[in-house]
Amino acid sequence: MQTIKLHNADAPELGCGACRDNDEHKFDLSFAFQPIVRASTRAIVSYEALARGPEGQGFAYVRNQINDNNLYNFDQTCRVRAIELATRLNLKVALNINFTPNAVYRPELCIRTTLAAAKEYGFPVEMIHFEVTESEEVREKTHLVSIIETYKKLGFTTVIDDFGAGFSGLNLLAEFQPDYIKIDRALIDYVDQKPARQAIIQGVILTCRKLNIDILAEGVEREEEYRWLANEGVDLFQGYYFARPGFEHLPEVPDELF
């Protein structure tokens, strides 16, 4: 996930007019899609939409267009365009969309644009997975909990991204339980050779099992990492080992990688 950090932590709340005034043509962006696989079935179960420039430029190109005043519009624009492009590409599995909690002032209102886009393009709400990065500091934890609870009630799947790399760690799971977490790449890197990382991941797996939270290993780049994690019971994976993000297309994952 691309993390957005802005300077003004006390940006004013947006009113309902922000929904009406959202200009989805304001940002020069498109998306790349990276598959998420379930090892036990050797199937792609979702694609994460990753913001890119209109010609495939990296996220830095997109980030340079964002400031404190347009963060809300950026968040809304990304949701709509990701759903529109996924529909155009005939996506038949789930779609993972990143969101910025500090851009959501009232979740029950700010979600309206997403619901309208899903209805317009005929994309089922239950196939949308919302990811929030655990490495982004949220001004009020209760606000994040409110967002997650609202999204779950509306039928969306909820995800904590970059788990283990951020501000809250396991304390965040004590406040609310998402449908699944993504273990950060920093813990995955050479985990097959790093006993300390192994112990941490084993502890996270045990905790998530008790809380009925699924686990995804993201940033998997080596077969040895995949084999070790799969042996520990991790079933969801994402990373260069399986496929790099495909700009405006949906990459496949060869069976022989499993």
Side-chain angles (χ1 to χ4, degrees), residues 25-122:
H25 301 291
K26 188 174 182 179
F27 297 94
D28 198 16
L29 60 85
S30 187
F31 287 90
F33 295 87
Q34 188 173 29
I36 293 169
V37 301
R38 186 171 291 279
S40 60
T41 59
R42 299 188 175 187
I44 295 172
V45 296
S46 185
Y47 283 88
E48 181 180 359
L50 300 164
R52 296 289 184 264
E55 297 178 358
Q57 300 97 320
F59 183 66
Y61 178 94
V62 179
R63 185 173 54 236
N64 287 337
Q65 302 177 54
I66 308 168
N67 57 53
D68 293 305
N69 296 320
N70 66 15
L71 179 60
Y72 171 82
N73 279 344
F74 172 77
D75 185 73
Q76 295 290 307
T77 298
C78 283
R79 299 174 184 218
V80 173
R81 291 195 183 177
I83 293 170
E84 186 276 331
L85 181 55
T87 304
R88 180 151 49 92
L89 294 173
N90 198 31
L91 180 66
K92 297 300 185 184
V93 295
L95 173 66
N96 282 46
I97 299 175
N98 299 306
F99 80 91
T100 303
N102 291 338
V104 178
Y105 64 99
R106 287 183 62 185
E108 71 278 9
L109 297 180
C110 295
I111 197 62
R112 290 177 178 176
T113 302
T114 307
L115 293 170
K119 182 177 181 180
E120 177 181 354
Y121 296 110

Side-chain angles (χ1 to χ4, degrees), residues 1-23:
M1 175 177 177
Q2 306 100 162
T3 302
I4 304 167
K5 293 185 181 297
L6 300 178
H7 299 295
N8 182 8
D10 298 313
E13 280 193 347
L14 295 167
C16 296
C19 291
R20 297 190 300 270
D21 299 336
N22 179 42
D23 179 7

Side-chain angles (χ1 to χ4, degrees), residues 57-192:
Q57 300 97 320
F59 183 66
Y61 178 94
V62 179
R63 185 173 54 236
N64 287 337
Q65 302 177 54
I66 308 168
N67 57 53
D68 293 305
N69 296 320
N70 66 15
L71 179 60
Y72 171 82
N73 279 344
F74 172 77
D75 185 73
Q76 295 290 307
T77 298
C78 283
R79 299 174 184 218
V80 173
R81 291 195 183 177
I83 293 170
E84 186 276 331
L85 181 55
T87 304
R88 180 151 49 92
L89 294 173
N90 198 31
L91 180 66
K92 297 300 185 184
V93 295
L95 173 66
N96 282 46
I97 299 175
N98 299 306
F99 80 91
T100 303
N102 291 338
V104 178
Y105 64 99
R106 287 183 62 185
E108 71 278 9
L109 297 180
C110 295
I111 197 62
R112 290 177 178 176
T113 302
T114 307
L115 293 170
K119 182 177 181 180
E120 177 181 354
Y121 296 110
F123 199 91
V125 168
E126 62 271 16
M127 288 174 56
I128 296 177
H129 297 189
F130 275 118
E131 297 188 18
V132 56
T133 179
E134 196 259 326
S135 61
E136 179 182 354
E137 187 171 18
V138 180
R139 291 194 294 271
E140 293 184 15
K141 189 182 296 183
T142 55
H143 179 56
L144 176 56
V145 173
S146 174
I147 296 172
I148 296 295
E149 289 179 345
T150 298
Y151 286 6
K152 293 184 76 169
K153 287 178 182 178
L154 290 170
F156 297 106
T157 293
T158 56
V159 187
I160 296 179
D161 194 11
D162 300 330
F163 188 83
F167 294 87
S168 303
L170 293 173
N171 289 335
L172 201 57
L173 297 186
E175 300 295 331
F176 68 93
Q177 292 75 54
D179 293 287
Y180 64 94
I181 66 169
K182 286 182 162 187
I183 299 178
D184 187 68
R185 166 68 188 163
L187 290 173
I188 301 298
D189 190 31
Y190 282 87
V191 65
D192 53 299

